[in-house]
Amino acid sequence: MKTLFRGLAATLLACVLTACPETTINEDFGFKPAVLKVADWSGSWTPVDEGDDDAVQFAVANAAQGLLVLTEPGKKDAKPIEFRIRRASADSKIKLCFAVAQERDAKKPGAASLFLMRTAENGVLYIWGINHDAVAAAIKSGQLKGTVKPDKDGAHSHLDSTEANYEKLLEPQFWIWSEPTCLKRAKK
């Protein structure tokens, strides 16, 4: 993965342009907005395995509503991605949040992508992708609430914005733990 932005943008675009498995949600997914500290989030970030030339920029658009905008400086054709950072648990001590992501200019109701994010701390940020197959199986079995539309290339799932789903999604089978995106604050 060259940069976080390219990875996230590729994920979002792939789900829109192809019939690959996907999991969508509404913008209100999660317990409530995470209140962001501007100093912890705003600025340049780089993947730990890349140089500072691959930095992405996070800007806090609304700290009280947990709203971040991700851009890639120097890339005129790159579209900003909006992240709504929402609590994954009613327990505020848990540092895991849902990152509800959508291209800022192409927002469609019910078409946001879901990531799991550990709150930014000490200049380090972790992001995990969702396991689409595990989500589809859990919806079909009744463990999660939502809908699954079968497709020849994989299931298209939509998770309902319900408290039961939030708690259940903290179980490890729903995330791709072996492939986290790890970002560090870029040197100034």
Side-chain angles (χ1 to χ4, degrees), residues 8-118:
L8 294 175
T11 300
L12 292 171
L13 289 175
C15 290
V16 170
L17 300 175
T18 69
C20 68
E22 68 175 318
T23 302
T24 58
I25 54 171
N26 294 329
E27 287 184 2
D28 66 346
F29 197 87
F31 279 95
K32 63 181 181 176
V35 177
L36 305 178
K37 293 180 184 173
V38 175
D40 289 346
W41 293 89
S42 288
S44 294
W45 295 81
T46 60
V48 294
D49 57 350
E50 302 288 334
D52 287 347
D53 293 342
D54 292 323
V56 295
Q57 187 77 28
F58 275 121
V60 175
N62 185 327
Q65 292 300 309
L67 185 59
L68 288 173
V69 177
L70 175 94
T71 56
E72 187 173 12
K75 303 286 183 183
K76 292 182 181 180
D77 59 341
K79 297 183 184 198
I81 296 178
E82 187 175 273
F83 285 88
R84 295 186 179 280
I85 309 302
R86 299 188 54 92
R87 303 294 318 162
S89 173
D91 183 353
S92 62
K93 293 177 185 171
I94 292 180
K95 296 182 179 191
L96 294 173
C97 295
F98 294 126
V100 178
Q102 248 183 331
E103 282 186 359
R104 192 169 212 188
D105 298 333
K107 294 170 79 173
K108 292 192 295 189
S113 295
L114 182 63
F115 298 91
L116 188 65
M117 183 180 278
R118 187 178 188 280

Side-chain angles (χ1 to χ4, degrees), residues 7-8 10-16 18-25 99 101 111-116 128-141 144 147-150 153-159 169 171-177 179:
L8 294 175
T11 300
L12 292 171
L13 289 175
C15 290
V16 170
T18 69
C20 68
E22 68 175 318
T23 302
T24 58
I25 54 171
S113 295
L114 182 63
F115 298 91
L116 188 65
W128 293 272
I130 196 160
N131 181 335
H132 301 293
D133 294 332
V135 169
I139 292 171
K140 288 177 184 176
S141 71
L144 291 172
T147 57
V148 177
K149 293 180 183 175
D153 296 319
H156 294 271
S157 304
H158 183 81
L159 286 167
L169 277 173
E171 294 178 9
Q173 71 268 23
F174 297 113
W175 302 99
I176 304 170
W177 296 105
E179 299 176 20

